[in-house]
Amino acid sequence: MQRHYSRGGIIRGVDNVFGQEENDAMAAPIDRSTRRFLIAFRYAFAGIGHLLRTQRNFQIHLLIGAIAIALGMVFRIARWEWVALALTIGMVLAAEGFNTAIEATVDLATSERHPLARIAKDVAAGTVLLCALTAIVVGVLIFGPRLWVLWLMLT
């Protein structure tokens, strides 16, 4: 049985679309060089840069995340609260990234209005909304009692 390389590793005995096993010489081995690894990071940072430059909602979520981090420092929140905060901020920012990627892919695939394109974009945007609402709940659970005490002290 021949070995075949894919992005995920070796696949044994895979037939091509014509029912014939591919030749090992045709399959490219995975490039494990440090140079390719660093290039991949460059692409990833380019994607984050695109989000920062062009996506207003990403910028808003990043600002709110920075405010939450500042509040965490001021209130000296517990380690488990930092974990919840970090995961929540990351979840919202990642959801914005996925939303942007899905919208760009749909726009690339079709310039016409299509019900499936609308569904893809609406579901992606709805997912960001779910993540943002979850982040609000986490923020209220972490900061609500502290802000309430502060409010009572100031009034």
Side-chain angles (χ1 to χ4, degrees):
M1 192 171 281
Q2 295 180 345
R3 289 183 177 190
H4 300 278
Y5 295 91
S6 70
R7 291 183 147 233
I10 298 173
I11 302 173
R12 298 181 188 277
V14 175
D15 292 341
N16 66 18
V17 292
F18 300 109
Q20 303 165 341
E21 282 198 334
E22 291 182 1
N23 188 334
D24 273 345
M26 295 176 63
I30 298 171
D31 183 357
R32 297 188 189 279
S33 69
T34 303
R35 182 176 172 274
R36 292 294 306 162
F37 182 72
L38 294 175
I39 288 171
F41 271 101
R42 188 176 74 201
Y43 292 142
F45 283 114
I48 293 170
H50 175 78
L51 288 169
L52 286 168
R53 285 188 312 276
T54 65
Q55 300 303 307
R56 183 183 55 120
N57 288 341
F58 186 86
Q59 295 165 353
I60 291 168
H61 290 303
L62 192 62
L63 175 64
I64 292 169
I67 292 168
I69 290 170
L71 282 172
M73 287 187 221
V74 168
F75 287 123
R76 298 176 185 243
I77 62 176
R79 184 178 308 242
W80 71 267
E81 292 170 314
W82 278 114
V83 170
L85 193 63
L87 290 173
T88 303
I89 292 168
M91 174 184 65
V92 172
L93 295 176
E96 273 296 341
F98 286 128
N99 182 44
T100 300
I102 289 169
E103 286 186 356
T105 303
V106 169
D107 290 345
L108 178 65
T110 181
S111 60
E112 300 173 11
R113 291 195 178 272
H114 192 281
L116 292 176
R118 182 184 55 79
I119 289 170
K121 287 185 170 192
D122 289 352
V123 169
T127 302
V128 175
L129 179 61
L130 286 173
C131 291
L133 292 173
T134 302
I136 291 170
V137 170
V138 170
V140 167
L141 291 172
I142 293 173
F143 298 117
R146 293 170 170 96
L147 290 171
W148 182 251
V149 168
L150 184 63
W151 173 260
L152 292 176
M153 288 174 34
L154 295 175
T155 57

